[in-house]
């Protein structure tokens, strides 16, 4: 028996999908299949196997070092992996031991930009068939299972802002390479457009040669692209996607980010989902997460059925849960030091935990009139770098708590930057402290996972605080 069969890891749907994947590999004469998993930061990592071996590897698994789960965003290993338990208190991870990537055949894609190349998203398992507890896709799947028990499915639509620049110098000199804990020199780039002509057709046409490249390959991947927009700042754009159920929108997000960066680089551009690049006049980018619940009958549980109401009681309780746990959940929606520079009053970004009806200054924007099947809540707090599995899982955990306790969100805030409300964290350190203190998120996401995640992020903060910044040099070097 194969590893998958022995441990019962695939559903009937996945078994059928695997047969179709084998057929596609042969029919398209694929030479390579990339096997990828989303790490703790939502970055895809993995290995490639030759097409002839892909069917076997799908079922038997592909070994991958567990030390990848111990790294911060500078690829520095922050856990003592060669000590007892590998720093995780788990013998299976001691000594940078292997786990197995097991492909999810339903995620198979043929990459349009890479010749004769397929792609499969994977989950992580130990040799005994148990899931690796720090695998974020597995964590999200578990949270979705709790939501299903309550009678609902999570529906999410993506609205993502990012930047694309002309690549001038990739900075590949011998001294530019960096090392673990010290990333390499950032590339030198130039703008594709000037900014501050939001949604003007002239600026869109300037961007269109790049849009055409990205649009063609994203649609060829089968991602549900809905709109392509020119954003407010220079070289900034926004993509939106049709809503999906459960794992699908999170899978879409990790593939989208990786695909956009790869496609852009092959054509001489640099795409970045960094929230606020340190480039003159460039604006912050956000990730607005549209969400609703589908009930057992397939209807929108957020759509009001009573006359005079815009939101159902389910939507209001869910909304109240999001607000109640906003501070702690920010550690997942805004996981970088840089992302907190976006939270500024009167800036189309939230700075406090409030909601409003069709108001772009609030944290949660309620959309839809009474009975509208498209009724939804738009959480405007996220940054585009967020791990989508953790971002969405935190929404489900918070929303379920609102449902369980029948919480009420209070009145709509029509003046969001003047309404008295709990402020969102102003730093990653503050967000992590709020996360550690939030009993609901600790239980729902797993106390061991929360401590693991916070340790990695606190290592990033410590590295940042040890640096002497340009600001400090300017402020003090001459004055004192």
């Amino acid at each position: 028996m194969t590893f998958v069969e022995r441990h019962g890891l695939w559903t009937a749907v996945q078994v059928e999908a695997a047969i179709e994947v084998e057929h596609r590999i042969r029919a398209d004469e694929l030479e390579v299949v990339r096997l990828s998993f989303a790490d703790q930061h939502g970055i895809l990592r993995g290995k490639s196997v030759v097409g002839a071996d892909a069917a076997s590897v799908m079922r038997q698994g592909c070994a991958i070092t567990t030390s990848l789960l111990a790294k911060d965003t500078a690829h520095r290993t922050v856990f003592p992996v060669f000590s007892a338990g590998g720093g995780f208190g788990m013998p299976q991870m001691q000594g940078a031991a292997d786990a197995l990537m097991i492909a999810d055949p339903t995620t198979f894609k043929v990459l349009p930009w890479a010749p004769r190349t397929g792609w499969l998203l994977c989950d992580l398992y130990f040799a005994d068939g148990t899931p690796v507890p720090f695998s974020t896709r597995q964590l999200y799947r578990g949270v979705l299972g709790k939501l299903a028990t309550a009678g609902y499915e999570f529906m999410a639509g993506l609205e993502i802002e990012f930047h694309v620049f002309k690549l001038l110098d990739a900075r590949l000199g011998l001294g530019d390479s960096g090392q673990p804990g010290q990333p390499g020199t950032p590339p030198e780039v130039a703008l594709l457009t000037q900014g501050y002509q939001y949604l003007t057709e002239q600026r869109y046409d300037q961007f269109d040669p790049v849009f055409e490249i990205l649009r063609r390959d994203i649609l060829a991947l089968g991602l549900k692209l809905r709109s392509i927009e020119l954003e407010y700042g220079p070289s900034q754009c926004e993509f939106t996607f049709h809503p999906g159920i459960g794992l699908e929108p999170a899978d879409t997000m990790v593939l989208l980010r990786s695909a956009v960066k790869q496609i852009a680089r092959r054509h001489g551009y640099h795409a970045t989902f960094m929230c606020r690049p340190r480039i003159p006049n460039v604006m912050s980018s956000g990730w607005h997460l549209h969400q609703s619940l589908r009930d057992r009958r397939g209807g929108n549980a957020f759509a009001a059925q009573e006359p005079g109401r815009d939101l159902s009681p389910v939507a209001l309780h869910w909304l109240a849960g999001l607000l109640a746990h906003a501070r702690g959940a920010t550690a997942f929606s805004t996981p970088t030091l840089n992302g907190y520079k976006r939270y500024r009053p009167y800036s189309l970004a939230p700075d406090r935990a409030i909601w409003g009806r069709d108001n772009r200054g609030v944290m949660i924007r309620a959309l839809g009139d009474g009975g509208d099947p498209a009724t939804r809540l738009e959480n405007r707090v996220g940054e585009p770098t967020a791990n989508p599995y953790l971002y969405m899982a935190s929404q489900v955990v918070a929303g379920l708590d609102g449902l369980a306790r029948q919480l009420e969100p209070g009145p709509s805030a029509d003046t969001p930057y003047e309404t008295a409300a709990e402020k969102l964290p102003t730093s990653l350190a503050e967000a992590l402290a709020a996360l550690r203190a939030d009993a609901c998120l600790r239980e729902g996401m797993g106390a061991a996972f929360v401590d693991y995640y916070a340790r990695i992020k606190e290592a990033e903060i410590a590295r940042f605080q040890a640096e002497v910044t340009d600001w400090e040099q300017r402020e003090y070097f001459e004055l004192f």
Side-chain angles (χ1 to χ4, degrees), residues 12-345:
V13 172
Q14 288 174 309
V15 171
E16 289 296 318
I19 296 171
E20 177 60 26
V21 170
E22 291 179 57
H23 172 74
R24 287 287 306 279
I25 291 172
R26 290 193 301 268
D28 294 350
E29 298 181 341
L30 299 184
E31 297 177 357
V32 173
V33 176
R34 299 183 187 178
L35 304 174
S36 300
F37 78 96
D39 74 0
Q40 55 277 18
H41 309 291
I43 301 297
L44 289 178
R45 299 180 187 261
K47 297 181 179 181
S48 297
V49 297
V50 297
D53 288 342
S56 172
V57 173
M58 271 199 302
R59 291 169 169 79
Q60 295 289 9
C62 179
I64 195 86
T65 174
T66 54
S67 64
L68 293 174
L69 297 170
K71 297 185 182 296
D72 65 9
T73 49
H75 304 279
R76 175 175 172 264
T77 301
V78 300
F79 287 82
V81 296
F82 295 105
S83 64
F88 298 89
M90 301 184 68
Q92 304 99 313
M93 300 181 72
Q94 185 172 315
D98 279 343
L100 288 174
M101 291 191 295
I102 300 297
D104 180 347
T106 65
T107 65
F108 179 74
K109 308 285 185 185
V110 175
L111 300 186
W113 64 88
R116 298 184 184 276
T117 300
W119 179 87
L120 280 162
L121 190 59
C122 300
D123 295 306
L124 299 183
Y125 292 87
F126 290 126
D128 63 0
T130 58
V132 175
F134 306 112
S135 170
T136 57
R137 190 172 190 257
Q138 296 278 49
L139 185 152
Y140 183 39
R141 183 185 283 113
V143 170
L144 290 174
K146 296 176 184 177
L147 181 62
T149 301
Y152 300 104
E153 291 181 298
F154 187 69
M155 177 172 280
L158 311 180
E159 180 183 337
I160 310 113
E161 299 166 350
F162 60 99
H163 291 87
V164 183
F165 303 101
K166 182 66 177 176
L167 183 62
L168 299 181
D169 183 353
R171 298 292 177 88
L172 296 179
L174 296 179
D176 296 327
S177 60
Q179 57 186 321
Q182 184 65 45
T185 307
E188 181 183 350
V189 298
L191 299 177
L192 298 182
T193 67
Q194 293 182 335
Y196 318 111
Q197 292 195 25
Y198 179 44
L199 295 181
T200 55
E201 185 173 342
Q202 178 178 334
R203 288 283 189 260
Y204 179 95
D205 192 67
Q206 292 174 9
F207 224 123
D208 193 53
V210 180
F211 282 154
E212 182 180 359
I213 294 166
L214 296 175
R215 180 181 66 246
R216 181 186 62 233
D217 285 351
I218 287 170
L219 289 174
L221 278 175
L223 303 186
K224 299 176 181 178
L225 184 63
R226 180 179 178 273
S227 70
I228 300 168
E229 301 173 21
L230 186 76
E231 257 300 329
Y232 187 63
S235 254
Q236 189 179 36
C237 56
E238 176 183 279
F239 283 9
T240 71
F241 290 80
H242 291 281
I245 294 290
L247 285 172
E248 180 196 333
D251 291 347
T252 292
M253 185 63 177
V254 293
L255 180 54
L256 171 74
R257 285 193 304 223
S258 189
V260 165
K261 291 182 74 67
Q262 292 177 53
I263 296 163
R265 187 60 173 260
R266 285 185 177 233
H267 290 273
Y269 301 98
H270 175 72
T272 182
F273 292 82
M274 178 182 180
C275 178
R276 193 175 182 85
R278 190 172 181 268
I279 294 175
N281 304 314
V282 163
M283 301 295 292
S284 298
S285 291
W287 171 11
H288 304 154
L289 182 61
H290 295 253
Q291 57 190 279
S292 62
L293 296 181
R294 193 164 70 175
D295 60 28
R296 288 192 173 100
R297 297 171 300 174
N300 185 347
F302 281 6
Q305 303 302 321
E306 299 178 25
R309 284 183 175 271
D310 293 331
L311 297 172
S312 72
V314 169
L316 289 170
H317 297 325
W318 188 272
L319 167 56
L322 298 183
L323 297 177
H325 301 288
R327 285 177 54 79
T330 305
F332 297 120
S333 67
T334 312
T336 71
L337 289 148
N338 177 260
Y340 292 84
K341 294 177 170 61
R342 174 173 162 260
Y343 297 156
R344 300 179 180 185

Side-chain angles (χ1 to χ4, degrees), residues 278 341 463-477:
R278 190 172 181 268
K341 294 177 170 61
R463 284 194 299 105
F464 174 77
Q465 290 177 336
E467 292 281 336
V468 176
T469 65
D470 288 344
W471 186 93
E472 292 168 280
Q473 187 75 0
R474 288 195 310 270
E475 193 78 4
Y476 306 128
F477 188 63

Side-chain angles (χ1 to χ4, degrees), residues 11 51 70 126 177-178 210 216-217 246 326 348 366 383 387 405 429 441 460:
T11 64
F126 290 126
S177 60
V210 180
R216 181 186 62 233
D217 285 351
L348 292 175
E383 65 168 316
N387 180 320
R405 294 197 287 147
L441 288 173
E460 294 174 23

